[in-house]
Amino acid sequence: MAFDDHPKPLSDLTLRMLFMTMGMGTLFTYNAFVSCIDYFNTIGDVRNVSGQMVAFTLSSELLTTIALLPFSTFSSKNDAGNDEGRKRLVMGSGGSGGGGGDRDSDISIDDLPLEGNAKATISTIKTKKHLKKITDSLDMDISSCSTRVLLGFGFTFLFLLVFLLLPPPSVWVLNLFSTFIGIADATSQSGLYQLASNYKRPSYSSAAVLGAAMSGFVVSLLRLMTRSFFDTGNNDGLRQGAYLLMGFSFAFSFILIVAICIIRRNILQCGGYVTPGENFAVGVVRGGPTLDRQYETELVTMRNDRGGDASSTIGEVAEEINKDSAVFEDENESDKNIGCMNQLREIYIETLKITWKPTFSAFLNFFITLSLFPAVIVSIPSSEGRISFGDWLPVVLITVFNAADCLGRFLLWFETSLPFKKLMTKWNDNNDDEINQVGIHNLKNFNSIVWWPTFARAVFFPLLAVCIIPANNPLLHNDILSCVIVFIFGLSSGFIHCANFTVAPTLVDNEESRNATSLLLLIAIFLGLTLGAYFGLAVEEVIWMIAE
């Protein structure tokens, strides 16, 4: 595909909407399955089918994310547009760009707008080449974050198509599909948040996180609508409403595929992650995941190591990298594996030292959330007072939680909003030379608005328990009060989650550390979700034992 001499990056609003839509897509199908628990509970003798579904989904998400770690950490040299973008950058007129190559061949290394203290070493090149060799053998570049997003949405599309074509599932088939959906969700999420962070605009990560919350809210509204279309007094009516919602999910998965293709096409045209207002020539050098600081400093390191003079062109230094890469091909395969794993470990240890607070906060936040939602919350009985939702209460509570979760994340949607400014305020913003903080310690308000409130959420265990205990007359037996408690529970969950994803990538200054940060957050979230889901099953049993 030829490059436009004057490519136009997507507008800021367009990028936000695309990331919000794709964020919604990462959890849309999962939320659709959970919202149909009224139907799925009728297909077997198991009391807590929804708890099983959540446990299977989250377990597969956690294992898939861990399996993708080696392919997700290092920059992909074949992300959308970067192969051609790199040729255009380093090969001049010999590259595959239409009409811009001659200009690039004259750029000097010293003219590159280098930033930060990113350190490129020979071991980095060796490791990335080894991982690239593995992905080549699979005939797909899963080290590309945009490719993983596309694969995840593609898997979801296929799984839903099969689900809709098959007869009504049994419990074990439902759990099997939950596992497949977990694999697809983890694949797309492992790429989406990296893709957002590569644009170096925290608001894009916030948009993706907000979209994930909106999926729950939108699905809940759709479930209320589809449930009302049919007679819910029998299993056929419940099944028809559930399958109609799955049909909506199937159609939406196609929209998601179109959304990621739009972004991939724009990355290809611009030669990297170019944001509105950014100069294109700089964007080509800085924008792409491998045209970022890592590759720039690789070029400079190679030039300096070989004693090259300052007038060396990009193409000349790139040739040296190719020669060195050819030498690495002859190395022993076991040495490559050892080097790869050692570097992975080093990257994650160093990154975790900087981002441990938002990472642990993300884990604990979702551990508490999944310990109580949905299993405990949908077990709250409806009151018999004047305001009573009756059999609709479980669906109403899920809708209230998802709406509050969405609102909590929306608070950080605008970079000009007060919550966003408070969250991102740094000690050295006042130019106080006596204050010398780094990493998370440089954020003035993180502890007060994220860290300590995460631990404070443990108060919801007794609050929600008294809505169920004792069974014949709960201590707190009022549908409106139950909804208020669930609303605050969801609001705190959404805000803390979005705050951690907004803050963490800004604490590191190179792409591979940002990739590691995103993956550490995902692992923390999936671990919290998984352990919380299993713990929630135990919590529900204990509450019912006490209630009865």
Side-chain angles (χ1 to χ4, degrees):
M1 177 176 180
F3 281 90
D4 187 350
D5 284 332
H6 303 285
K8 296 179 180 179
L10 296 171
S11 69
D12 180 70
L13 179 60
T14 300
L15 284 169
R16 287 195 190 203
M17 296 304 296
L18 286 172
F19 277 114
M20 185 176 68
T21 301
M22 292 188 294
M24 188 186 302
T26 58
L27 292 177
F28 196 91
T29 302
Y30 163 77
N31 284 314
F33 271 80
V34 172
S35 296
C36 294
I37 57 173
D38 50 354
Y39 163 62
F40 294 136
N41 280 334
T42 67
I43 64 177
D45 297 329
V46 181
R47 182 170 71 179
N48 195 352
V49 175
S50 63
Q52 288 191 27
M53 291 168 54
V54 170
F56 274 91
T57 301
L58 298 178
S59 297
S60 62
E61 284 186 340
L62 174 63
L63 295 176
T64 302
T65 302
I66 293 175
L68 288 172
L69 283 180
F71 306 102
S72 307
T73 306
F74 297 102
S75 307
S76 167
K77 292 189 177 182
N78 280 319
D79 205 340
N82 292 328
D83 227 6
E84 292 195 44
R86 178 170 304 255
K87 289 177 184 177
R88 185 172 189 236
L89 177 67
V90 305
M91 296 179 63
S93 59
S96 62
D102 294 334
R103 172 185 61 188
D104 293 330
S105 63
D106 297 327
I107 298 177
S108 168
I109 291 294
D110 287 1
D111 293 332
L112 288 172
L114 300 178
E115 300 176 0
N117 299 315
K119 295 180 179 179
T121 62
I122 296 299
S123 62
T124 300
I125 304 172
K126 290 164 61 179
T127 304
K128 287 197 283 189
K129 194 167 188 65
H130 177 53
L131 292 175
K132 182 64 174 67
K133 188 175 182 180
I134 296 175
T135 56
D136 283 344
S137 68
L138 299 175
D139 196 30
M140 67 178 72
D141 189 3
I142 59 175
S143 61
S144 160
C145 56
S146 62
T147 298
R148 291 198 304 278
V149 177
L150 181 59
L151 287 174
F153 293 154
F155 291 158
T156 302
F157 182 85
L158 293 176
F159 294 155
L160 284 172
L161 177 62
V162 173
F163 182 85
L164 292 171
L165 293 177
L166 289 178
S170 60
V171 174
W172 76 266
V173 172
L174 189 61
N175 288 335
L176 181 62
F177 270 100
S178 298
T179 301
F180 289 152
I181 293 302
I183 293 172
D185 285 351
T187 303
S188 59
Q189 289 190 60
S190 72
L192 179 61
Y193 294 108
Q194 284 186 16
L195 188 63
S197 67
N198 282 335
Y199 278 93
K200 304 181 184 69
R201 292 284 296 273
S203 57
Y204 295 160
S205 296
S206 299
V209 174
L210 173 62
M214 287 183 64
S215 71
F217 179 58
V218 172
V219 166
S220 296
L221 293 180
L222 287 173
R223 181 54 184 153
L224 289 172
M225 181 179 67
T226 58
R227 196 178 193 271
S228 65
F229 286 164
F230 304 97
D231 179 13
T232 57
N234 57 71
N235 289 350
D236 286 339
L238 291 173
R239 179 183 59 80
Q240 290 171 340
Y243 269 70
L244 179 58
L245 181 58
M246 293 303 162
F248 282 129
S249 300
F250 175 73
F252 187 59
S253 64
F254 178 77
I255 296 175
L256 296 172
I257 294 173
V258 173
I260 183 58
C261 286
I262 290 173
I263 286 189
R264 282 170 61 88
R265 183 174 183 272
N266 191 250
I267 294 173
L268 176 62
Q269 289 178 329
C270 293
Y273 301 130
V274 184
T275 55
E278 186 175 27
N279 180 271
F280 171 62
V282 173
V284 172
V285 176
R286 293 181 55 243
T290 54
L291 302 179
D292 200 352
R293 303 170 189 159
Q294 176 65 38
Y295 189 65
E296 295 165 4
T297 40
E298 280 179 10
L299 295 175
V300 175
T301 300
M302 290 297 302
R303 183 196 69 186
N304 294 339
D305 287 348
R306 294 181 170 275
D309 68 57
S311 63
S312 299
T313 64
I314 295 174
E316 291 169 347
V317 179
E319 269 187 45
E320 297 297 332
I321 290 182
N322 290 334
K323 290 178 182 178
D324 284 323
S325 298
V327 174
F328 299 146
E329 291 288 348
D330 298 329
E331 289 189 348
N332 184 274
E333 192 70 21
S334 62
D335 291 339
K336 290 183 180 181
N337 288 326
I338 293 173
C340 175
M341 292 303 107
N342 286 341
Q343 192 179 6
L344 272 176
R345 183 174 64 250
E346 180 180 348
I347 289 174
Y348 280 97
I349 289 175
E350 292 303 315
T351 302
L352 190 58
K353 287 179 181 178
I354 299 173
T355 63
W356 71 272
K357 267 195 173 181
T359 301
F360 183 76
S361 174
F363 162 78
L364 185 59
N365 181 50
F366 274 99
F367 177 82
I368 294 173
T369 296
L370 262 290
S371 295
L372 298 169
F373 178 85
V376 173
I377 286 179
V378 299
S379 299
I380 296 176
S382 178
S383 62
E384 298 177 357
R386 197 168 68 179
I387 301 178
S388 175
F389 294 107
D391 294 338
W392 286 79
L393 182 62
V395 180
V396 170
L397 289 176
I398 290 177
T399 304
V400 169
F401 173 86
N402 287 327
D405 186 38
C406 182
L407 178 60
R409 303 186 197 202
F410 184 75
L411 294 175
L412 297 173
W413 168 260
F414 299 103
E415 294 181 9
T416 56
S417 67
L418 181 61
F420 187 93
K421 289 181 177 179
K422 284 287 185 182
L423 177 65
M424 303 304 293
T425 298
K426 299 180 180 179
W427 283 106
N428 57 14
D429 281 347
N430 297 323
N431 297 320
D432 190 343
D433 294 333
E434 296 181 2
I435 299 175
N436 185 25
Q437 302 284 358
V438 295
I440 194 66
H441 303 293
N442 193 28
L443 293 177
K444 186 176 182 179
N445 302 313
F446 182 83
N447 285 347
S448 60
I449 65 178
V450 178
W451 180 246
W452 296 121
T454 303
F455 292 91
R457 297 188 74 232
V459 73
F460 288 106
F461 281 99
L463 276 178
L464 291 170
V466 297
C467 294
I468 301 175
I469 300 172
N472 58 345
N473 187 24
L475 297 176
L476 186 60
H477 197 38
N478 184 286
D479 286 5
I480 299 301
L481 288 178
S482 297
C483 289
V484 171
I485 294 174
V486 171
F487 180 86
I488 299 173
F489 180 64
L491 185 72
S492 61
S493 177
F495 179 80
I496 291 172
H497 174 54
C498 190
N500 287 323
F501 258 97
T502 300
V503 164
T506 68
L507 304 178
V508 293
D509 62 355
N510 63 75
E511 186 191 345
E512 287 174 355
S513 294
R514 286 195 300 271
N515 290 347
T517 298
S518 297
L519 289 166
L520 283 171
L521 284 172
L522 283 177
I523 290 175
I525 288 170
F526 291 148
L527 186 61
L529 290 171
T530 303
L531 295 180
Y534 286 109
F535 185 67
L537 295 176
V539 169
E540 186 189 18
E541 290 298 324
V542 170
I543 289 177
W544 279 112
M545 286 174 59
I546 297 174
E548 295 172 356

